[in-house]
Amino acid sequence: MMIVLTTLIFAAIGLFLGGGGIWLIVLGGSWFYLIAGVAFLATAFFIFMRNPLAYWVYGATILVTLAWALLEVGFDWWQLGARGGLVVLLGLWMFLPWVRRPILRDDYGFPKERSAARAGAWPLAGAVALSIIVAAVSLFSDPHAIRGELPGVRNAEASVTERIPADEWHAYGRTEKGQRYSPLDQITPENVGALELAWQIQTGDMKGPNDVVETTYENTPLMVGDTLYVCTPHSWAMAFDAKTGEQKWKFDPQVPVDGNRQHQTCRGVTYYADPDIAEGERCKTRVYLPTSDARLIALNAEDGTVCEDFADNGTLHLETNMPYKTQGYYYSTSAPLAIAGKIIVGGAVNDNYSTQSPSGVIRAYDIDTGELVWNFDTGNPEQTEPIGPDETYTKNSPNSWTVMSGDSDLGLVYVPFGNRVPDQIGLNRSPSEEKYSSSVTALDVETGEPAWVFQGVHHDLWDMDAPAQPPLLDLTIDGESVPALVMPTKQGEVFVLNRETGEPILPVTEVAAPQEGGLEGENLSPTQPVSALSFNPPKLTGKDMWGASLLDQLACRIKLKQYNYEGRYTPPSTNGTIVYPGNFGTLNWGSVAVDPERQVMFAMPVYMAYTSTLVPKTEPGAPTHGINSNNGAPYAVSFSTLLGPLGVPCQAPPWGYVAGADLTTGEIVWKHKNGTIQDMNPLGLKIKMGVPGIGGPIITKGGVAFLGAAMDNYLRGYDLTTGEQLWEARLPAGGQATPMTYETSDGTQYVLIVAGGHGSVGTETGDYILAYKLPDG
């Protein structure tokens, strides 16, 4: 019976590999799978015939597979496992007594006399043993790592000129410059391993049964004068004691549940101290709360009550002057920027819902009164003076849903823009929308007029928004101090620009982009910009395909060949296009952290391939069930991660890293896989594969960087110099937020993170805020 079962197993695998191998050859892929299929079928035949040649043939099959795998991927354990794991396991199966005895011995239990029988199972045993040795060696090899050390301090005075106290955190990225850098140095690589939980609280704001999928905790709290200011997914504003976590106040704006929203989140509030109001007077210090139903509310920072003298009894209604006011299509997910007596607001627009979407206009309001000072609409960039009450902004124009940066000395605001909806169809974009799409644009803080624009993607058809707040710092280049802006992008480029002029500091070159396979009439850009500092991965090939076994690895190779794919920027198509890096982003809203003294950067590059398929609609306005409908457009669009038949990514790990780069040269000095699959497998196995994540890092002067973000529930501390992980703390929920750090009046430095999970990536939900400190004494 076992001989028949074993025969059927080998024959079925042989037929799958042989048939799939022929298909792959027709598509222009590897011949190996056809050869392997024939070898499996031959092994099945000899097993069925109880012929000892089965061990010779299968031993040779294992050796050929091992040689092929090593030629393709070297000593990459996870890649070798996909190619050889099943093959070697079946070799071990053939050593089971009830399989081995009928083949190697006669009916009386004596060895068969033929030469093959006399050799017994040794050919197969040797091949299996060699494979196990290679697997063991590869376990201690990391072919993806870059090892090095970042330079030390090169501008010791860089943080001295900051306007906020060193022990506080006043804005989303700590200051208007968005560096995510703290001058605190109590925690160092030598003592970070001793960090312990100081306090933990729960906000009470949990995902409800009727909330949208992407209900997420992405907040980075602020800390001013021993008070923490927090916002939650449902736009609650809360204040806590920074030493104890005790709640001081809570404001609930009563945001209604709305299934039209794509995102239910709040990344941050904005803090402002009014210099024209006397100390102790009400609303001297304020917290500005953006809500997911398109309001901006001014709150008294002392008690959380509304400051009625701002706008309409304390509330700005951001749907004002919008061309379409469909509920849930426009809202604010990120903290506005307070600068030069103004509060500057962007907004999120639902992607791929409709061609009748609100404008992406950027608006500056008087921070005291809420009066509109200027507006910059990429669809009408010449009209920066406030438009009239009966006028509307341009529909569908590129928006800025993430956080802006500002330079008060230069009088400039730096706005990261997305592209016009629909993201994947660019047939009707105006010249001005094309100019500002997927760019960072510098606006004059007094007038809103553009000073310069730098575009990260030309004619963006891949949802490669400029997704992150661009950090600002001064770099020493050829002995001169240069005002710099660091522009992280979803596609993996990190553009380092002169923030005064927009000119590249690190070289930017234009490279040829794919031109075939897109929609007829699509004005594809012949080139795309590439920075000297780039996390752009190599083009995917067959050897990059992965799976749980050789079988689904073959299926993934076939899938790769079936989609349109000529590398990054292959245009979307009705056939289906692979988008790699995907629009989840190599870098996303978590941005990067920069050290202004060392002039280096800490980043979390992520690599996941996606597919994008344009779906023709019989009627332009007809909704399409189950995919992004693009109402009003001739095509809907379907997205998915590039997965194999078992739901395992087709693209081989690692999928997530931490990396350190020198901003003066563009060199990526170190790069290490980051995160485990502990919370991604039912057994909770803590295996470090390098997993995706979303969130951001911070850097401290003490030489430690902190990052949550990964798809396992941990907050981690890293040596900034080498990237070595030094500490981790298990979180009660997903930590898809950017941490922060502060020091209280008793001289204690804390590291804090919000842990509530992320709906889109499926991490554990919660409502936690956790603070860590070194042990007392």
Side-chain angles (χ1 to χ4, degrees):
M1 181 64 185
M2 288 301 296
I3 290 295
V4 173
L5 176 61
T6 304
T7 299
L8 290 174
I9 290 171
F10 274 80
I13 292 173
L15 289 171
F16 185 92
L17 291 174
I22 292 171
W23 190 0
L24 184 60
I25 290 168
V26 171
L27 294 172
S30 171
W31 282 68
F32 169 79
Y33 299 90
L34 174 58
I35 296 169
V38 171
F40 266 85
L41 289 172
T43 303
F45 172 78
F46 288 123
I47 291 171
F48 182 75
M49 299 301 294
R50 293 171 170 76
N51 189 323
L53 282 173
Y55 287 87
W56 288 77
V57 172
Y58 198 63
T61 302
I62 291 179
L63 290 176
V64 170
T65 301
L66 179 62
W68 164 76
L70 287 171
L71 283 172
E72 278 211 326
V73 298
F75 288 92
D76 184 333
W77 195 90
W78 290 105
Q79 284 273 47
L80 290 175
R83 288 160 171 78
L86 176 64
V87 178
V88 172
L89 284 174
L90 288 173
L92 293 171
W93 174 274
M94 290 179 67
F95 286 109
L96 295 175
W98 42 87
V99 177
R100 177 170 51 83
R101 285 173 182 166
I103 298 175
L104 297 180
R105 294 180 178 271
D106 60 23
D107 293 340
Y108 301 99
F110 295 103
K112 295 180 179 179
E113 292 300 321
R114 285 169 290 184
S115 59
R118 286 198 296 271
W122 289 110
L124 177 57
V128 169
L130 181 60
S131 297
I132 292 173
I133 291 170
V134 169
V137 171
S138 68
L139 272 174
F140 298 96
S141 172
D142 187 356
H144 305 281
I146 299 173
R147 294 179 175 85
E149 294 190 0
L150 290 172
V153 172
R154 292 183 280 187
N155 182 5
E157 304 301 316
S159 58
V160 175
T161 58
E162 293 295 347
R163 295 178 174 88
I164 74 169
D167 54 356
E168 298 187 353
W169 193 284
H170 280 213
Y172 180 77
R174 187 172 173 272
T175 72
E176 65 180 25
K177 293 182 178 179
Q179 296 173 347
R180 291 158 184 78
Y181 170 82
S182 170
L184 299 179
D185 59 5
Q186 186 179 118
I187 299 170
T188 68
E190 289 71 33
N191 63 24
V192 64
L195 281 179
E196 60 186 20
L197 185 65
W199 53 260
Q200 169 184 310
I201 58 100
Q202 292 178 260
T203 67
D205 186 359
M206 291 288 291
K207 181 177 181 180
N210 298 318
D211 280 330
V212 295
V213 170
E214 194 164 320
T215 298
T216 64
Y217 266 90
E218 297 178 354
N219 177 247
T220 298
L222 310 184
M223 187 278 194
V224 184
D226 276 4
T227 299
L228 293 163
Y229 299 101
V230 175
C231 65
T232 69
H234 293 93
S235 305
W236 299 358
M238 305 181 75
F240 300 92
D241 185 283
K243 294 180 184 179
T244 66
E246 180 182 358
Q247 182 176 314
K248 293 186 173 184
W249 56 256
K250 168 188 163 184
F251 174 81
D252 181 358
Q254 300 294 317
V255 173
V257 174
D258 190 340
N260 281 338
R261 269 179 227 126
Q262 281 183 319
H263 310 276
Q264 186 70 53
T265 193
C266 179
R267 296 190 183 93
V269 295
T270 303
Y271 176 83
Y272 174 67
D274 194 325
D276 298 325
I277 297 179
E279 293 292 337
E281 292 293 316
R282 190 172 181 279
C283 292
K284 161 70 176 178
T285 56
R286 302 180 190 181
V287 169
Y288 290 84
L289 172 68
T291 71
S292 53
D293 62 350
R295 289 179 284 162
L296 182 67
I297 304 172
L299 303 174
N300 181 8
E302 296 300 315
D303 59 14
T305 57
V306 174
C307 297
E308 294 89 350
D309 57 347
F310 176 77
D312 179 13
N313 291 314
T315 298
L316 263 176
H317 300 281
L318 299 176
E319 76 278 6
T320 301
N321 296 114
M322 285 296 174
Y324 300 105
K325 297 181 181 179
T326 306
Q327 185 174 325
Y329 274 43
Y330 182 86
Y331 41 94
S332 184
T333 60
S334 298
L337 177 67
I339 184 173
K342 301 169 186 65
I343 189 157
I344 302 177
V345 185
V349 176
N350 284 346
D351 282 338
N352 306 308
Y353 271 39
S354 173
T355 58
Q356 295 183 348
S357 290
S359 174
V361 61
I362 308 301
R363 287 171 285 188
Y365 299 91
D366 184 290
I367 201 164
D368 293 314
T369 66
E371 180 184 358
L372 183 63
V373 179
W374 54 256
N375 37 232
F376 178 78
D377 179 358
T378 55
N380 184 22
E382 305 301 321
Q383 176 69 40
T384 59
E385 299 85 2
I387 65 174
D390 298 325
E391 297 180 90
T392 57
Y393 299 112
T394 308
K395 69 173 184 177
N396 299 344
S397 56
N399 65 307
S400 183
W401 52 266
T402 190
V403 184
M404 306 172 207
S405 302
D407 187 326
S408 295
D409 296 325
L410 291 177
L412 294 176
V413 176
Y414 304 97
V415 183
F417 278 108
N419 61 356
R420 171 180 165 150
V421 293
D423 293 315
Q424 287 73 29
I425 305 170
L427 300 175
N428 299 310
R429 297 176 184 172
S430 69
S432 64
E433 289 169 337
E434 288 280 39
K435 177 179 179 179
Y436 293 103
S437 172
S438 303
S439 74
V440 166
T441 298
L443 303 179
D444 186 291
V445 73
E446 297 300 331
T447 67
E449 295 175 354
W452 55 260
V453 56
F454 182 91
Q455 189 170 64
V457 185
H458 308 320
H459 195 65
D460 182 5
L461 300 173
W462 305 272
D463 191 21
M464 295 298 179
D465 307 335
Q469 181 181 32
L472 314 180
L473 76 165
D474 295 339
L475 296 177
T476 305
I477 307 293
D478 297 328
E480 299 291 329
S481 180
V482 181
L485 173 148
V486 180
M487 176 185 175
T489 67
K490 286 185 179 181
Q491 65 271 24
E493 303 303 319
V494 180
F495 299 103
V496 181
L497 313 174
N498 185 313
R499 68 175 181 269
E500 191 170 8
T501 66
E503 294 297 316
I505 294 173
L506 295 182
V508 175
T509 56
E510 293 282 338
V511 299
Q515 298 293 296
E516 301 296 328
L519 293 177
E520 184 177 352
E522 195 70 83
N523 186 29
L524 299 174
S525 175
T527 64
Q528 294 289 353
V530 173
S531 173
L533 175 49
S534 177
F535 291 102
N536 178 35
K539 177 184 175 183
L540 291 173
T541 65
K543 70 179 183 180
D544 299 308
M545 295 299 98
W546 195 61
S549 70
L550 192 66
L551 305 180
D552 50 330
Q553 204 244 3
L554 167 59
C556 283
R557 289 205 185 210
I558 292 171
K559 197 170 189 178
L560 176 69
K561 292 289 185 179
Q562 289 178 310
Y563 280 99
N564 289 10
Y565 181 61
E566 297 299 328
R568 191 169 62 161
Y569 304 124
T570 302
S573 63
T574 54
N575 181 63
T577 294
I578 291 176
V579 181
Y580 181 66
N583 63 346
F584 187 78
T586 301
L587 301 165
N588 207 310
W589 54 260
S591 193
V592 298
V594 301
D595 185 326
E597 296 189 0
R598 298 175 67 169
Q599 304 185 15
V600 300
M601 179 187 83
F602 183 102
M604 184 190 69
V606 171
Y607 300 100
M608 287 297 290
Y610 283 71
T611 63
S612 173
T613 304
L614 296 176
V615 181
K617 296 193 287 188
T618 53
E619 299 178 14
T624 309
H625 179 69
I627 58 178
N628 291 268
S629 58
N630 283 341
N631 291 335
Y635 297 89
V637 61
S638 174
F639 300 106
S640 67
T641 310
L642 183 63
L643 298 176
L646 300 179
V648 175
C650 276
Q651 169 202 346
W655 304 299
Y657 296 85
V658 288
D662 186 333
L663 291 170
T664 67
T665 65
E667 179 188 5
I668 298 171
V669 176
W670 55 256
K671 184 179 177 185
H672 306 296
K673 60 186 178 183
N674 182 60
T676 73
I677 60 169
Q678 180 172 350
D679 296 303
M680 300 169 66
N681 69 90
L683 299 178
L685 299 175
K686 191 177 179 182
I687 301 172
K688 190 172 185 177
M689 289 181 68
V691 297
I694 191 162
I698 64 169
I699 291 173
T700 66
K701 186 173 182 175
V704 181
F706 292 95
L707 173 71
M711 290 183 68
D712 56 353
N713 300 337
Y714 284 95
L715 173 64
R716 295 183 168 96
Y718 307 82
D719 186 327
L720 178 60
T721 300
T722 65
E724 177 189 0
Q725 182 182 313
L726 304 173
W727 170 82
E728 67 180 17
R730 184 76 168 149
L731 300 174
Q736 283 67 54
T738 302
M740 51 85 75
T741 186
Y742 58 90
E743 186 175 285
T744 50
S745 56
D746 60 4
T748 302
Q749 182 181 352
Y750 293 82
V751 176
L752 183 144
I753 190 168
V754 171
H758 196 286
S760 291
V761 299
T763 49
E764 183 74 21
T765 59
D767 61 339
Y768 298 90
I769 304 175
L770 304 101
Y772 300 86
K773 67 180 183 63
L774 295 172
D776 294 333

